[in-house]
Each structure stands twice: as C-alpha cells, then as structure tokens.
C-alpha cells in the first residue's frame, strides 16, 4: 500500500493521475502472500497476464486538483478495504492488483458549505471590527440644553471633542446656560470633531425697565419684583434702623447721580435700602474691673466687644493721671453689643481757683498758687477802698497740670477818686500821663480843659484849677489854667479864687481826657 501511495507524491502528482511502471498492468492472478518466501515465488511458473486499459484519466483529460485528491482518498479507502478482505480470506493478492477510482458525490456540497462558512465568518469578523472601531472613534452626545456650559466643557475634555461656544442674550436662561447644540442629543459625533453650543448671556442689559414705587413696597415685594425682572444690578440692602420699622423702605440711591430713573435700564446700578428694625443684642458680655488700670485697657476691651466707649475725665487726689477712677456699669454687670460703657479717667490732683473775695488785696498778692495771678485796683463810688470787686475765673474752678492755665485777674476797690492839687507842681506836658495813670487807668473818667493866663510863672506851668483837693465822681470835667510866663517876678502863692474871671483873654478850651 505504501508503494501505491507513493504514486501520489509531489513529484508524480500534478492534478491528474499518471500511470507508472507496474501500476499500468495488473495480473489476473491474486497477489501472493507477502509472507511467502522468494523461493516459492520463483518456483511458480509464469502465468500469462492480461493487460487492461487503465481507468485513470488520460493526459487529454485533465483532472482538477480537488477531484484528484478526492479520487486519491477513495482509492486509498478501497485499497484498505480490499487489503482487509484479502487478509480476512487469506487469499494471496498481488501488490500490483487492479486499482479503481471512485468519486464522492457529497464532496462538492461539503466544499461549498465550507467556503460559505468561511465567507460568513470573515464578513462577521469585518462587521465586528467595524462596529468596534466606530464605537471607539465616536461618542454619544448628551443633551446639554439648560445645563451649565462648564459641564459641556468637562465632557468635551474627557471625550476628546472640541467645544465651540456662541453666545446670545436670553431672558429665560441664566448666564452660561446652554440654549442649543449643533448635534442632536443621543447622536454620535467623531472624536476630534467640534460641537458648537449656543450659551446664554442672560437678560439683555440694554432693556429698559419701569421701576415701581419702592417707598410703597415692603422688602419682600421688592425682592419679588427684582427676581421676576432679573434686575441683577438693583441691590436691595437691609440694615438696622432704630427709627424705621422692619421691612420698611428707607431710601434709594443710583450709582450715577445724574441717572433719570424714568429711563432706567437693566445695566444701571441702583441701591434700595430697607430697614431691619432696631438691632437687639443679648446681654452676654461680662464687665471686668478696670479701676486703677490704664484707660487704654478699657478702651481696647470695649472696642473688641463692639461696645460704645465713652470716656470722662475727673480729678482725683488718690488716682494717678490717666488711670481709671471708676466705671459704669460696675464689675460683674452684663452688657450687650452696641451698649455704652462709661469710664472715668483721672486728671490728677485739681488746681482750684481760690475765692479772692475772702482775701484782702495784700493777702491776694502774697498768695502762693500754681495758677497765675494778676491783682489790680480801680475806683468805685459804690465799694469802699480795699474791698474785692471781681475775678476773671470763677472761684472753685478746677484745672489739671496738663491744662493750659489761665491768668486769674483779681480787682480790688480804690473807693471814690480824689482830685489832687497840681498847681505849680505840674506843667501842661504832664497832664495827659497824669490824668491817665491816676484816673483813667483806674476806672475814673476825669476830663479836663485848659486855658492860658498871664503869669510870672514859667510858661506852661499849671497855675489854676477849677477843682482840686476833693473827692470827685467817677466821671468829672475840670478846667486848668496854664501860665503864659509873660509877667515879671514870681508868685509862689496861688491867687485867691473868687470865682471871677480876671484874665485879659478868653479861656482857651483844650479838652483832654486821660486817654490822650
């Protein structure tokens, strides 16, 4: 059988069967037992043989490769069956027995089924690969409508899709909320492609709004109006007010003072103030004791606890300057925010203005005091000589050493003015100073007039007075005679005053008062 199969080696098989050697001729004799000895075979006489025409296709009849292969398989099967039969019958069979070729009628169908199956598997594989590739290179687009633009950007970065944004004003959509998209929801888009989104810019800022009368509205009503009109630049400010009821209107102010509210647009800034009523705080701040401590400690504590700090200064003989003398409320009390905390701070020992009505002029001049003192005297027709008249600072008034101390002017009385005799003792040139120093500066308004007389006294000497050597009122007029110095000799004794006018010339009136 191996020899038989050797006929179908690559060197002998080219798609058609070629007869070779002994295979072209077959004896009619059965093939002998292969186990017989060569001697037995040689001793047998040669039998005539009959040459049969081979059933194999000739060269003029080409055979397909598949048909040849099928024929080979059939031949091998028959040969194997024949060999089995020979062995079973134990009949000698020649190795060069007749070979027959049979065709399998089901082979073509089985071959077609195999080709069809391969084609189907290949098509299915291509389809699967295509589907997988499409799924890997395309993504489903979500519905971004009414979503925030940031969500779409995040999705684009994760899926590799470029996001292009176009914006427009839309009253019904908030700022950056998606209005529309270029690819419908649940549709596929290729990675790397661009998805165009239309996003909202919010309401149109140029739209004109008709403002209501906020003064007639409560704060809740104003909030509803702002929300319904999306007036984002209109601010409702609530603040505490002790004089306006809660939720009531206080005032309104436009950022642009020249803005006509009748032409108000959504972009214009307007602040409307409403009251939160009186602010009430819980009394939960415990007051410590600041007595004897620096005022700065009390001030800082009050500021830290949001209290109204009030400071008063008082004199103290026991507490040093700038230290706390007392406080209100006292230690252990409870205060609420915004309440008043009063601290009295020491100004040191007081410098008190004395009561000079209790002192004589001599005592006042000798009084030792840190407060500057100036003592003076004036005429008075009501108060006796040496008595107290006045002082510039109120008695008992207190000053601290850090204060700017005033000079206390104290005045005592000289009584009524006394007009001295100045004849033959003064000259005309002495009169202005004399009357100012003696009378005007001390509160007496003594006015004089002069006239000239013939006299042997030096020229300009006072030789006559209408009044002298007596007490006079605070306001008085006198006449004074001045020597011409045109007579011989000298008269040391003033002539008797008989009240007559013995001059040769009329009186020269040169009125003068103590201010000249």
């Amino acid at each position: 059988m191996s020899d038989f199969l050797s006929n179908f080696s690559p060197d002998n098989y080219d798609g058609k069967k070629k007869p070779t050697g002994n295979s072209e001729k077959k004896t009619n004799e059965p093939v002998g037992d292969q186990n017989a000895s060569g001697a037995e075979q040689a001793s047998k006489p040669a039998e005539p043989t009959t040459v049969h025409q081979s059933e194999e296709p000739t060269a003029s009849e080409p055979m397909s490769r598949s048909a040849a292969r099928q024929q080979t398989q059939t031949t091998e099967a028959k040969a194997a069956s024949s060999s089995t039969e020979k062995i079973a019958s134990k009949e000698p069979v020649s190795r060069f027995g007749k070979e027959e070729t049979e065709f399998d009628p089901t082979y073509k169908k089985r071959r077609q089924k195999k080709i069809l199956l391969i084609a189907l598997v290949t098509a299915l594989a291509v389809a699967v690969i295509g589907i997988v590739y499409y799924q890997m290179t395309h993504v489903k687009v979500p519905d971004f409508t009414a979503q925030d633009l940031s969500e779409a950007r995040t999705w684009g970065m994760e899926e590799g899709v470029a996001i292009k944004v176009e914006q427009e004003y839309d009253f019904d959509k908030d700022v950056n909320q998606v209005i529309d998209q270029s690819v419908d929801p649940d549709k596929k888009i290729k990675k790397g492609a661009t998805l165009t989104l239309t996003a909202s810019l919010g309401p149109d800022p140029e739209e004109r709004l008709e403002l209501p009368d906020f003064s007639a509205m409560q704060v809740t009503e104003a909030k509803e109006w702002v929300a319904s009109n999306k007036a984002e630049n209109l601010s409702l400010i609530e603040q505490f007010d002790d004089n306006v009821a809660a939720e009531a209107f206080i005032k309104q102010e436009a950022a642009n003072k020249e803005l006509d509210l009748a032409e108000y647009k959504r972009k214009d800034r307007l602040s409307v103030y409403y009251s939160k009523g009186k602010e009430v705080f819980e009394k939960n701040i415990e007051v410590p004791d600041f007595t004897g401590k620096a005022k700065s400690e009390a001030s800082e504590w009050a500021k830290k606890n949001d209290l109204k700090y009030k400071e008063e200064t008082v004199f103290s003989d026991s507490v040093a300057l700038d230290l706390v003398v007392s406080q209100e409320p006292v230690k252990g009390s409870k205060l609420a925010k915004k309440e008043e905390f009063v601290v009295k701070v020491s100004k040191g020992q007081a410098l008190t203005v004395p009561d000079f009505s209790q002192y004589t002029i001599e005592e006042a001049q000798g009084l030792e005091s840190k407060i500057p003192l100036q003592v003076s005297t004036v005429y008075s027709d009501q108060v006796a000589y040496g008595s107290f008249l006045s002082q510039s600072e109120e008695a008992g008034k207190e000053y601290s050493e850090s204060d700017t101390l005033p000079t206390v002017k104290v005045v005592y009385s000289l009584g009524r003015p006394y007009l001295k005799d100045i004849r033959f003792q003064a000259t005309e040139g002495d009169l202005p100073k004399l009357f100012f120093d003696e009378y005007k500066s001390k509160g007496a308004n003594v006015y004089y007039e002069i006239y000239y007389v013939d006299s042997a006294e030096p020229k300009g000497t006072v030789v006559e007075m209408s009044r002298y050597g007596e007490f006079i009122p605070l306001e008085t007029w006198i006449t004074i005679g001045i020597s011409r110095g045109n007579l011989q000799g000298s008269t040391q004794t003033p002539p008797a005053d008989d009240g007559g006018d013995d001059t040769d010339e009329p009186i020269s009136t040169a009125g003068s008062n103590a201010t000249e």
Side-chain angles (χ1 to χ4, degrees):
M1 183 176 178
S2 61
D3 292 338
F4 173 77
L5 294 177
S6 66
N7 292 328
F8 297 96
S9 64
D11 295 333
N12 297 325
Y13 182 72
D14 58 356
K16 57 185 178 178
K17 188 173 182 181
K18 298 178 181 180
T20 57
N22 294 332
S23 64
E24 295 180 357
K25 296 180 179 181
K26 293 184 178 180
T27 62
N28 293 326
E29 297 179 358
V31 179
D33 189 358
Q34 293 180 1
N35 295 325
S37 65
E40 291 178 352
Q41 294 179 0
S43 63
K44 290 181 179 183
E47 296 291 335
T49 60
T50 301
V51 178
H52 297 276
Q53 181 67 33
S54 173
E55 295 180 0
E56 298 291 330
T58 63
S60 62
E61 298 177 353
M63 181 182 296
S64 66
R65 184 180 299 274
S66 60
R69 187 181 297 113
Q70 181 177 1
Q71 181 177 353
T72 302
Q73 292 175 353
T74 303
T75 304
E76 290 178 352
K78 288 182 177 182
S81 177
S82 176
S83 175
T84 303
E85 291 176 356
K86 288 180 178 181
I87 293 173
S89 61
K90 294 186 179 180
E91 292 180 356
V93 179
S94 173
R95 61 181 297 181
F96 301 105
K98 183 179 178 180
E99 294 181 359
E100 296 181 355
T101 302
E102 295 183 3
F103 291 92
D104 185 358
T106 65
Y107 175 77
K108 185 175 182 181
K109 292 182 178 180
R110 287 189 292 106
R111 181 66 179 173
Q112 290 176 346
K113 287 183 180 178
K114 183 176 181 180
I115 293 173
L116 179 61
L117 179 61
I118 292 173
L120 290 175
V121 171
T122 303
L124 180 61
V126 171
V128 171
I129 292 173
I131 293 173
V132 172
Y133 175 78
Y134 183 83
Q135 293 294 336
M136 292 179 63
T137 58
H138 290 72
V139 292
K140 183 190 291 185
V141 178
D143 185 2
F144 292 113
T145 305
Q147 294 188 24
D148 192 87
L149 186 59
S150 61
E151 297 184 18
R153 292 186 186 278
T154 301
W155 176 85
M157 288 189 292
E158 292 176 351
E159 300 296 342
V161 176
I163 302 297
K164 180 182 178 181
V165 179
E166 297 177 353
Q167 294 181 305
E168 64 182 39
Y169 293 112
D170 192 305
F171 182 85
D172 298 323
K173 295 290 190 298
D174 294 334
V175 176
N176 289 332
Q177 199 172 38
V178 177
I179 301 173
D180 194 12
Q181 57 191 68
S182 60
V183 178
D184 293 335
D186 297 331
K187 297 293 184 181
K188 294 282 188 175
I189 187 173
K190 187 175 182 180
K191 292 185 177 181
T194 299
L195 175 65
T196 302
L197 301 177
T198 303
S200 172
L201 288 171
D204 186 358
E206 295 294 334
E207 182 182 357
R208 191 176 71 84
L209 301 178
E210 183 177 352
L211 294 176
D213 183 6
F214 289 109
S215 63
M217 301 173 67
Q218 298 289 316
V219 65
T220 51
E221 297 174 323
K223 288 180 179 179
E224 291 176 359
W225 184 90
V226 170
S228 62
N229 289 274
K230 295 189 176 182
E232 298 176 354
N233 287 319
L234 195 153
S235 302
L236 297 178
I237 302 174
E238 297 181 75
Q239 62 185 28
F240 292 104
D241 194 303
D242 295 343
N243 301 318
V244 181
E247 296 193 1
F249 173 82
I250 299 176
K251 63 178 180 178
Q252 66 183 29
E253 293 179 347
N256 182 5
K257 302 300 181 182
E258 299 178 356
L259 175 66
D260 182 5
L261 295 182
E263 300 296 327
Y264 178 81
K265 296 181 179 179
R266 186 176 282 109
K267 68 178 182 178
D268 296 326
R269 294 188 177 277
L270 179 66
S271 298
V272 182
Y273 294 83
Y274 282 89
S275 173
K276 294 170 66 177
K278 185 176 181 179
E279 189 174 14
V280 179
F281 297 100
E282 182 183 357
K283 289 182 176 289
N284 58 357
I285 303 173
E286 185 173 352
V287 180
D289 185 12
F290 291 103
T291 304
K293 296 182 180 179
K295 65 179 182 180
S296 58
E297 293 187 29
S299 174
E300 291 174 2
W301 176 83
K303 183 178 180 181
K304 180 179 179 181
N305 289 278
D306 199 13
L307 298 172
K308 295 180 180 178
Y309 178 76
K310 183 178 180 181
E311 183 177 296
E312 298 177 358
T313 55
V314 295
F315 292 105
S316 175
D317 295 335
S318 59
V319 180
L321 182 68
D322 290 337
L323 298 184
V324 177
V325 177
S326 62
Q327 64 187 53
E328 181 64 33
V330 297
K331 174 186 177 181
S333 301
K334 297 284 187 177
L335 288 176
K337 287 183 178 181
K338 305 300 183 182
E339 286 192 322
E340 189 174 72
F341 179 57
V342 182
V343 173
K344 294 184 177 181
V345 180
S346 174
K347 295 194 293 183
Q349 292 184 346
L351 300 179
T352 306
V353 176
D355 183 1
F356 289 98
S357 65
Q358 305 301 315
Y359 298 93
T360 65
I361 186 171
E362 290 80 11
E363 291 173 339
Q365 291 174 339
L367 186 65
E368 292 184 1
S369 175
K370 292 183 178 180
I371 299 178
L373 179 64
Q374 179 182 329
V375 180
S376 62
T377 55
V378 297
Y379 291 109
S380 174
D381 54 4
Q382 302 293 328
V383 180
Y385 175 86
S387 299
F388 172 81
L389 287 178
S390 66
Q391 61 185 70
S392 60
E393 299 294 328
E394 181 183 359
K397 188 174 183 179
E398 296 178 327
Y399 293 92
S400 67
E401 294 182 359
S402 60
D403 292 336
T404 300
L405 300 176
T407 299
V408 180
K409 297 178 180 180
V410 183
V411 181
Y412 287 89
S413 175
L414 289 174
R416 295 175 63 192
Y418 182 79
L419 187 58
K420 297 179 181 180
D421 184 3
I422 59 171
R423 292 177 300 171
F424 308 107
Q425 300 177 35
T427 63
E428 184 179 2
D430 298 330
L431 294 179
K433 183 177 185 305
L434 177 64
F435 274 84
F436 178 81
D437 291 344
E438 291 295 329
Y439 304 106
K440 182 64 177 179
S441 63
K442 298 177 182 179
N445 295 319
V446 179
Y447 302 99
Y448 65 90
E449 292 181 353
I450 61 173
Y451 60 92
Y452 297 95
V453 298
D454 296 328
S455 172
E457 294 298 323
K459 184 179 180 179
T461 301
V462 176
V463 293
E464 293 180 1
M465 296 178 65
S466 61
R467 298 181 65 176
Y468 57 87
E470 61 178 294
F471 288 99
I472 58 176
L474 293 181
E475 188 168 346
T476 303
W477 284 85
I478 64 172
T479 59
I480 298 175
I482 304 298
S483 171
R484 290 193 179 96
N486 58 350
L487 300 180
Q488 297 295 324
S490 175
T491 303
Q492 297 295 330
T493 303
D497 185 2
D498 57 5
D501 187 0
D502 56 354
T503 60
D504 296 333
E505 299 178 2
I507 298 174
S508 174
T509 60
S512 174
N513 59 39
T515 60
E516 296 177 353

